[in-house]
Amino acid sequence: MKTELTKQMIENIQIDHGVLFKNYGLEGEELIGPLRGGTNFKVERTYRNIEYDGSKGETEGLTTLDDENATLTAKTINASMETFADKLPGAKVTRDEQNKKITKIEAGDLGLIAEEAYTKNITMFAQKVGGGFIKVTIRRVLDKNGLDFSAVQKAEGEIELSYKAHHKYTDETSEPIYTIETVESMDLEVL
């Protein structure tokens, strides 16, 4: 049995922290940060086995995928009004008329969250030893974990970000809830 690592295995090791962007590649693209403690991408799936009389247990070819959800999480120490607003989709946000900066956030009305409250995408880049990056993008995103912010002596306030992708109720064949790909570089525009 061969037990030696290959060069390709070594080159595919992911190193260092991830970098997050809001609306990557679109108008309004923003770097999310500063972050602390890295980033995490998680896909949760529910599988179901079709049962039938006389079955001996799980049967090949009779497993269905019932649902699939994707989440990107990180912690930020950016205690900006924009961060707070992203954490509270559906809240009433007041902006300064001149520079469009958020000046106040208040509890909003209960009910459906408006489509314009969804972020188009959140994208994570994670560097590999051999060069290049793993690029993970989730789409139609809300952070539905609420806001938990503490001011602590001799420490920085951390805000947990938990971005959840959402399916469309219409055909989503052109935009799946997530994509994972390898890319040679991050196309960054310094603003």
Side-chain angles (χ1 to χ4, degrees), residues 134-151:
I134 299 166
K135 177 184 174 189
V136 176
T137 302
I138 63 173
R139 295 177 182 81
R140 297 173 297 280
V141 180
L142 284 180
D143 186 329
K144 299 191 293 188
N145 279 6
L147 175 62
D148 184 0
F149 175 68
S150 298

Side-chain angles (χ1 to χ4, degrees), residues 150-162:
S150 298
V152 181
Q153 183 177 357
K154 296 184 181 181
E156 299 76 35
E158 290 184 343
I159 302 164
E160 186 166 332
L161 308 173
S162 183

Side-chain angles (χ1 to χ4, degrees), residues 66-111:
D66 284 348
D67 64 59
E68 180 174 51
N69 296 293
T71 307
L72 270 170
T73 57
K75 289 183 181 176
T76 186
I77 54 175
N78 180 356
S80 70
M81 294 295 277
E82 287 76 12
T83 299
F84 293 157
D86 282 350
K87 293 289 300 164
L88 300 166
K92 181 180 174 188
V93 174
T94 304
R95 295 182 181 273
D96 178 270
E97 289 183 27
Q98 213 170 14
N99 62 19
K100 303 298 181 198
K101 296 279 185 192
I102 298 173
T103 58
K104 182 166 53 171
I105 302 169
E106 301 174 276
D109 296 329
L110 300 179

Side-chain angles (χ1 to χ4, degrees), residues 46-62:
T46 302
Y47 296 97
R48 180 174 49 87
N49 294 299
I50 299 172
E51 297 179 9
Y52 59 94
D53 291 345
S55 168
K56 297 176 183 175
E58 294 185 13
T59 306
E60 181 179 11
L62 293 179

